[in-house]
């Protein structure tokens, strides 16, 4: 990085008509995107929602829209300092493809519980191929004790350009809402609608992203009155019924839910929060969303949080399966439990393969198309 920028341009919030690019800066700067395509089209994206050239002293964000579905473009970020020096930085060109619901195939990858572990990030980055979407499924951090960590954790972890060839869909985990500076996370994480829940279609796969909140009730004293996830869960319940009724989601051959805290667990004993208990699964979220997910026909919920890779098939009571990917050991320096998921969809099946960092297959799940 130069003295002006502190991260590569990170592609987030992929959509059928565009995406958002976020990058870190070291001083008050303005920025925009330049793009071109193989067909010779080119342009710039220079305005934010209020008609200003995007500006900031820590982070810049530019939303690209109006592109055709399934279109490949090259982009680069231009940064200029605000002030007399007028220093300028041009990033390297980067390839991005918009999502395409009409495609017969799709590929996605899932990371989770990276917890600011540089060794884990390097291993995941090396193991993960180019995909339509990389779902970073929560707990990017431990807690936000220093506001400078947003750049080094979200935008340039371990010095890597993690969105190269794989635009990010970031799912908020319970550790991501902890710490003095957690309220600033939304400045560094782009989502299609600016909310911590969303839905998108990649080929035959309809994806729902949900925010499970914390692992204890909002009133728990450890949160010091800083969180309000109970109303957010209720809002997502209403939104779920609306979004899953849309044709592109109601008719999707494959239906996948991503959320950080699982909605099912192998031991559902009631938790004693007063005795330092916490949720291994989010009963509060499941109570709010279960009926809507069943009505939609959700096939599988993909989660992290437990740091134990776990597979729970669908049952009569829970028609959606639960797949939980592993994470690095929270108490030691070991990455032995860390894992990632490779999802590949074709007209015949959606196959989710969970691998450890050495490439060993831990679980392989095959889901048939619903339509």
């Amino acid at each position: 990085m130069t003295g002006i920028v502190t991260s590569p341009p990170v592609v987030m919030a992929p959509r059928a008509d565009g995406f958002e690019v976020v990058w870190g800066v070291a001083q008050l700067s303005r920025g925009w995107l330049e793009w071109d395509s193989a067909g010779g089209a080119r342009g710039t994206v220079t305005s934010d929602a209020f008609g200003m050239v995007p500006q900031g002293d820590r982070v810049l964000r530019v939303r690209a829209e109006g592109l055709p579905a399934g279109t490949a473009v090259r982009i680069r970020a231009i940064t200029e300092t605000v002030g007399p020096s007028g220093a300028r930085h041009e990033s390297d060109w980067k390839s991005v493809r918009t999502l395409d619901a009409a495609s017969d195939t799709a590929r996605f990858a899932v990371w989770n519980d990276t917890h600011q572990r540089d060794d884990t990030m390097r291993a995941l980055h090396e193991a993960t191929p180019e995909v339509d979407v990389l779902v970073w499924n929560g707990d990017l951090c431990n807690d936000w004790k220093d506001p400078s960590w947003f750049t080094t954790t979200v935008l340039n972890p371990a010095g890597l350009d993690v969105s190269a060839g794989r635009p990010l869909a970031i799912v908020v985990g319970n550790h991501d809402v902890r710490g003095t500076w957690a309220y600033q996370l939304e400045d560094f994480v782009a989502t299609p609608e600016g909310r911590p829940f969303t839905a998108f279609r990649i080929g035959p796969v309809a994806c729902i992203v949900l925010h499970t909140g914390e692992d204890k009730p909002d009133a728990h004293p450890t949160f010091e009155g800083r969180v309000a996830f109970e109303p957010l869960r209720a809002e997502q319940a209403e939104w779920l019924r609306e979004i899953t009724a849309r044709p592109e989601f109601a008719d999707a051959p494959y239906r996948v839910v991503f959320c950080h805290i699982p909605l099912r667990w192998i031991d559902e004993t009631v938790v004693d929060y007063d005795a330092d208990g916490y949720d291994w699964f989010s009963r509060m979220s499941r109570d709010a969303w279960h009926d809507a997910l069943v009505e939609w026909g959700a096939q599988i919920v993909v989660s992290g949080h437990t740091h134990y890779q776990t597979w729970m098939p669908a049952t009569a009571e829970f028609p959606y399966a639960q797949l939980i990917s592993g994470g690095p050991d929270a108490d030691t320096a070991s990455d032995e439990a860390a894992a990632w998921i490779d999802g590949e969809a074709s007209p015949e099946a959606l196959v989710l393969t969970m691998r450890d960092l050495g490439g060993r297959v831990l679980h392989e799940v095959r889901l048939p198309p619903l339509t």
Side-chain angles (χ1 to χ4, degrees), residues 92-152:
D92 293 335
W93 287 96
K94 188 175 203 174
S95 296
V96 187
R97 181 181 293 275
T98 56
L99 303 184
D100 184 6
S103 175
D104 290 334
T105 62
R107 191 173 189 185
F108 59 86
V110 186
W111 298 351
N112 59 276
D113 296 284
T114 48
H115 287 284
Q116 299 169 299
R117 293 279 295 267
D118 285 356
D119 49 356
T120 301
M121 291 300 306
R122 292 188 190 100
L124 289 170
H125 183 68
E126 182 177 353
T128 306
E130 293 190 4
V131 289
D132 296 308
V133 180
L134 170 57
V135 180
W136 203 348
N137 206 1
D139 281 9
L140 285 63
C141 78
N142 294 312
D143 55 17
W144 301 110
K145 296 179 179 178
D146 185 328
S148 70
W149 291 351
F150 289 108
T151 299
T152 56

Side-chain angles (χ1 to χ4, degrees), residues 282-293:
S282 184
R283 189 187 301 272
M284 292 177 284
S285 298
R286 188 175 76 195
D287 287 348
W289 307 334
H290 173 81
D291 291 346
L293 293 177

Side-chain angles (χ1 to χ4, degrees), residues 3-16:
I4 304 173
V5 302
T6 57
S7 83
V10 180
V11 182
M12 301 189 197
R15 311 181 314 278

Side-chain angles (χ1 to χ4, degrees), residues 57-76:
D57 59 3
R58 287 198 299 160
V59 64
L60 294 174
R61 298 170 58 148
V62 179
R63 180 182 172 97
E65 52 193 355
L67 298 170
T71 297
V73 297
R74 292 193 315 159
I75 63 162
R76 67 175 179 176

